[in-house]
Amino acid sequence: MKTIAVIPARMGSSRFPGKPVAKLLGRAMLEHVYKRVALSHAVDATYIATCDEEIRDVARDFGAPVIMTADTHERASDRVAEAVADMDAELVVMVQGDEPMTRPEMIDAAVEPFRHDPQLGCVNLVRCIDNKADFYDVNTIKVVMNQKGDALYMSRQPIPTAPPAAQPAHSNFSHTLAYKQVCIIPFRHKTLLDFARLPPTPLEQLESVDMLRLLEHGYRVKMVRTKFNTQAVDTPADLERVARLMESDPLLASY
């Protein structure tokens, strides 16, 4: 299966304007994401999709191919769909540009289910939540799944209800059923183009979660669990936290 990765990025983040080019351990954050994704054995090519000339120029400086897109997209998945509309690829892996702790093994694992299920259209990585800060953080997308590991719902609110030992006054998150979305999302090419053609849905807009458009239209989204812990960068404080985490793990800062 020909597989390409696309990293959507824009300067106009409401929580952290300009974050793709913010410096992280001496490099633009976007460079860390691009170079980590390009290490995956499952990916044949990696691109950056953006509507911003500043991001284009920075990306070209570190050697990344760039696809310019419209500046009207509210959803990252719509931006990626435009970028790959005419490309010859069976799988498209969307990796958010604010995930600098991405490991190539995570992409390999997310792509693997497509090799065994020709009907599968979309996969998300998911990891257990092991601390109350992530569980109650609206920037962390929480996921509940069925017994087959398919997504039932995603929310920025804390779902499912935490047991008493994990309520805000406590810190014990062992034995909970809380999981978070990790924004490494492979689509079958057709499914991604379907996504872009589908009308936005009420819950998608309420939660500001791309995958709810697929779920509300009856598509299956398979969740694949990862053992790797990641931290998305949504705020300047997150950037500082990620810098400390990456400094403690040399593999995350080497290419």
Side-chain angles (χ1 to χ4, degrees), residues 6-255:
V6 180
I7 304 166
R10 64 188 182 95
M11 295 293 288
S13 168
S14 59
R15 290 164 289 185
F16 189 174
K19 72 177 177 178
V21 299
K23 290 297 184 181
L24 174 62
L25 302 182
R27 304 173 186 258
M29 181 175 68
L30 188 60
E31 181 177 357
H32 288 280
V33 182
Y34 172 78
K35 291 189 173 179
R36 300 298 296 167
V37 172
L39 290 173
S40 168
H41 297 297
V43 171
D44 297 300
T46 303
Y47 302 88
I48 291 170
T50 186
C51 60
D52 294 302
E53 293 183 2
E54 183 175 353
I55 290 176
R56 178 198 62 192
D57 294 344
V58 169
R60 286 178 175 173
D61 284 345
F62 60 74
V66 177
I67 302 169
M68 297 301 292
T69 63
D71 62 1
T72 54
H73 297 301
E74 294 186 10
R75 299 279 176 259
S77 302
D78 287 317
R79 186 180 307 282
V80 173
E82 181 195 342
V84 305
D86 297 322
M87 286 192 177
D88 178 22
E90 187 169 352
L91 297 182
V92 179
V93 184
M94 180 174 74
V95 182
Q96 295 284 24
D98 57 7
E99 290 278 355
M101 294 179 68
T102 294
R103 295 175 184 262
E105 299 93 333
M106 296 163 67
I107 298 171
D108 299 346
V111 166
E112 184 63 24
F114 290 95
R115 305 186 188 282
H116 310 289
D117 186 349
Q119 303 304 313
L120 184 59
C122 184
V123 166
N124 280 203
L125 281 191
V126 66
R127 189 183 188 278
C128 63
I129 295 175
D130 57 9
N131 66 86
K132 68 177 183 180
D134 280 351
F135 188 61
Y136 292 98
D137 185 351
V138 296
N139 294 320
T140 300
I141 297 173
K142 274 68 70 174
V143 185
V144 289
M145 298 171 282
N146 66 18
Q147 292 294 304
K148 295 181 180 180
D150 297 333
L152 289 171
Y153 193 65
M154 300 185 183
S155 178
R156 295 182 180 276
Q157 299 304 311
I159 58 171
T161 299
Q167 294 297 333
H170 302 80
S171 59
N172 179 16
F173 258 77
S174 60
H175 310 300
T176 69
L177 298 175
Y179 292 88
K180 66 179 179 179
Q181 180 195 45
V182 177
C183 288
I184 296 174
I185 304 175
F187 296 85
R188 209 169 289 277
H189 189 271
K190 178 183 181 304
T191 303
L192 179 56
L193 297 189
D194 285 348
F195 176 97
R197 286 190 288 262
L198 292 168
T201 52
L203 293 174
E204 170 202 356
Q205 294 174 315
L206 178 67
E207 297 275 11
S208 190
V209 174
D210 293 30
M211 291 299 100
L212 289 176
R213 186 185 304 180
L214 288 180
L215 293 181
E216 288 184 82
H217 282 287
Y219 285 71
R220 173 189 174 206
V221 178
K222 181 175 180 58
M223 310 306 294
V224 172
R225 300 182 189 190
T226 180
K227 66 180 180 180
F228 295 112
N229 199 7
T230 63
Q231 172 64 52
V233 175
D234 294 300
T235 67
D238 291 336
L239 189 70
E240 295 177 8
R241 178 183 176 190
V242 166
R244 292 192 297 270
L245 291 170
M246 291 178 68
E247 284 178 324
S248 68
D249 186 344
L251 285 177
L252 288 174
S254 61
Y255 306 105

